[in-house]
Amino acid sequence: MREDIEHTRDDMARYPSLAGRAVLVSGGATGIGASFVEQFARQGARVAFLDIDDVGAQALLASLQDVAHAPVYLHTDATDVAALQASIAQARTQIGPIGVLVNNAANDVRHDFSQTTPEDFERSIAVNLRHQYFATQAVVEDMRGLGGGSVICLGSTSWMIKNAGYPMYTMAKSAVHGLVNGLARELGRDRIRINALVPGWVITEKQRRLWLDAEGQAQIERAQCLPGYLQSEDLARMALFLGADDSRMCTGQQFIVDGGWV
């Protein structure tokens, strides 16, 4: 399959409203999350990111020494709500009141429905859904004080196209849409936007290593309307729009970035 055409940074949009804005990204050390961190930082935002992958985080920080505001990394297990809340409070002291929250942390580990235990279920909900709820709760007062803000919740097309092999993950990701719709009106009164950013099959290094084979390549060619692999940067570019003032009247929506698969 033909790889996507490379674009230079100068080819892409600049969002003046993001300069100096405090942005918090969960699961930001590698993959899609790392692209969120990089792209917001290159817009001049003050970025903090949470993860448990210290090695990945340090590699990302080393690659971003040329940005205006060096991102802040906080080692955090997003499934531990108390630790999550404490890290958000710490991020606030280092980058200021949070104006953009990107709820990205997730784990799409494959699992056997017939072998699922209650403990497995609780772990999956914790990593794929629960932290999105409580991280949003933790930044709302910041956004009210700022006169508005943007919450970006990562969904997935996996449940829409009825993928098999990870039912707990698809269930949690479908619930993200309920969370967005359930909070849009309540938060909107304070000019806080909340939207779902919904990826298709993004070919990260992890996806290449674990799941992208000849059959998967053929499936992409058959199902996507656009040729080429969906990249992390494609998601990050949409996140920039949703975080910037350009999307000031967008809330309670799902923004699908999947090459036209769904």
Side-chain angles (χ1 to χ4, degrees), residues 77-124:
D77 180 354
T79 69
D80 181 337
V81 173
L84 175 67
Q85 293 167 332
S87 288
I88 292 172
Q90 184 177 348
R92 182 180 297 115
T93 67
Q94 295 185 254
I95 65 171
I98 309 302
V100 178
L101 169 65
V102 185
N103 284 318
N104 170 71
N107 190 342
D108 61 351
V109 63
R110 274 45 175 177
H111 50 270
D112 184 345
F113 170 66
S114 66
Q115 300 299 315
T116 302
T117 67
E119 291 76 21
D120 295 332
F121 185 95
E122 295 299 332
R123 281 193 295 269
S124 181

Side-chain angles (χ1 to χ4, degrees), residues 27-148:
T30 60
I32 297 172
S35 287
F36 292 147
V37 172
E38 177 181 3
Q39 296 301 326
F40 275 106
R42 294 201 181 282
Q43 294 281 335
R46 300 178 184 274
V47 183
F49 66 103
L50 316 179
D51 212 301
I52 58 173
D53 183 350
D54 296 336
V55 173
Q58 293 308 314
L60 176 59
L61 292 173
S63 73
L64 293 175
Q65 295 184 14
D66 60 333
V67 298
H69 307 289
V72 174
Y73 169 58
L74 299 170
H75 180 99
T76 310
D77 180 354
T79 69
D80 181 337
V81 173
L84 175 67
Q85 293 167 332
S87 288
I88 292 172
Q90 184 177 348
R92 182 180 297 115
T93 67
Q94 295 185 254
I95 65 171
I98 309 302
V100 178
L101 169 65
V102 185
N103 284 318
N104 170 71
N107 190 342
D108 61 351
V109 63
R110 274 45 175 177
H111 50 270
D112 184 345
F113 170 66
S114 66
Q115 300 299 315
T116 302
T117 67
E119 291 76 21
D120 295 332
F121 185 95
E122 295 299 332
R123 281 193 295 269
S124 181
I125 290 295
V127 73
N128 292 310
L129 178 63
R130 188 176 68 190
H131 70 87
Q132 299 207 32
Y133 186 101
F134 286 102
T136 302
Q137 184 187 70
V139 303
V140 162
E141 286 306 314
D142 284 3
M143 294 182 180
R144 284 180 177 143
L146 291 168

Side-chain angles (χ1 to χ4, degrees), residues 14-260:
R14 299 291 301 177
Y15 294 97
S17 63
L18 291 176
R21 183 160 293 175
V23 178
L24 179 67
V25 180
S26 66
T30 60
I32 297 172
S35 287
F36 292 147
V37 172
E38 177 181 3
Q39 296 301 326
F40 275 106
R42 294 201 181 282
Q43 294 281 335
R46 300 178 184 274
V47 183
F49 66 103
L50 316 179
D51 212 301
I52 58 173
D53 183 350
D54 296 336
V55 173
Q58 293 308 314
L60 176 59
L61 292 173
S63 73
L64 293 175
Q65 295 184 14
D66 60 333
V67 298
H69 307 289
V72 174
Y73 169 58
L74 299 170
H75 180 99
T76 310
D77 180 354
T79 69
D80 181 337
V81 173
L84 175 67
Q85 293 167 332
S87 288
I88 292 172
Q90 184 177 348
R92 182 180 297 115
T93 67
Q94 295 185 254
I95 65 171
I98 309 302
V100 178
L101 169 65
V102 185
N103 284 318
N104 170 71
N107 190 342
D108 61 351
V109 63
R110 274 45 175 177
H111 50 270
D112 184 345
F113 170 66
S114 66
Q115 300 299 315
T116 302
T117 67
E119 291 76 21
D120 295 332
F121 185 95
E122 295 299 332
R123 281 193 295 269
S124 181
I125 290 295
V127 73
N128 292 310
L129 178 63
R130 188 176 68 190
H131 70 87
Q132 299 207 32
Y133 186 101
F134 286 102
T136 302
Q137 184 187 70
V139 303
V140 162
E141 286 306 314
D142 284 3
M143 294 182 180
R144 284 180 177 143
L146 291 168
S150 176
V151 178
I152 304 167
C153 297
L154 268 289
S156 171
T157 62
S158 58
W159 65 274
M160 300 177 184
I161 60 178
K162 302 177 178 65
N163 275 353
Y166 46 4
M168 291 187 295
Y169 175 81
T170 56
M171 178 191 65
K173 285 300 186 178
S174 70
V176 169
H177 296 258
L179 174 61
V180 165
N181 288 353
L183 286 176
R185 187 170 301 278
E186 179 175 345
L187 300 184
R189 298 187 183 100
D190 295 304
R191 299 189 184 278
I192 300 170
R193 312 185 305 282
I194 182 167
N195 292 288
L197 175 51
V198 187
W201 191 2
V202 183
I203 305 304
T204 61
E205 185 279 329
K206 174 184 173 182
Q207 296 294 318
R208 288 180 184 273
R209 184 179 73 253
L210 296 179
W211 297 303
L212 182 63
D213 54 17
E215 181 180 348
Q217 291 178 1
Q219 185 181 26
I220 291 170
E221 291 183 348
R222 183 172 61 252
Q224 283 186 185
C225 296
L226 297 173
Y229 293 143
L230 193 63
Q231 303 289 329
S232 297
E233 291 80 5
D234 298 314
L235 274 296
R237 294 295 174 181
M238 180 60 79
L240 294 180
F241 169 73
L242 292 174
D245 291 350
D246 300 63
S247 62
R248 71 182 192 90
M249 293 301 286
C250 298
T251 198
Q253 304 301 315
Q254 56 185 30
F255 291 85
I256 299 175
V257 183
D258 72 343

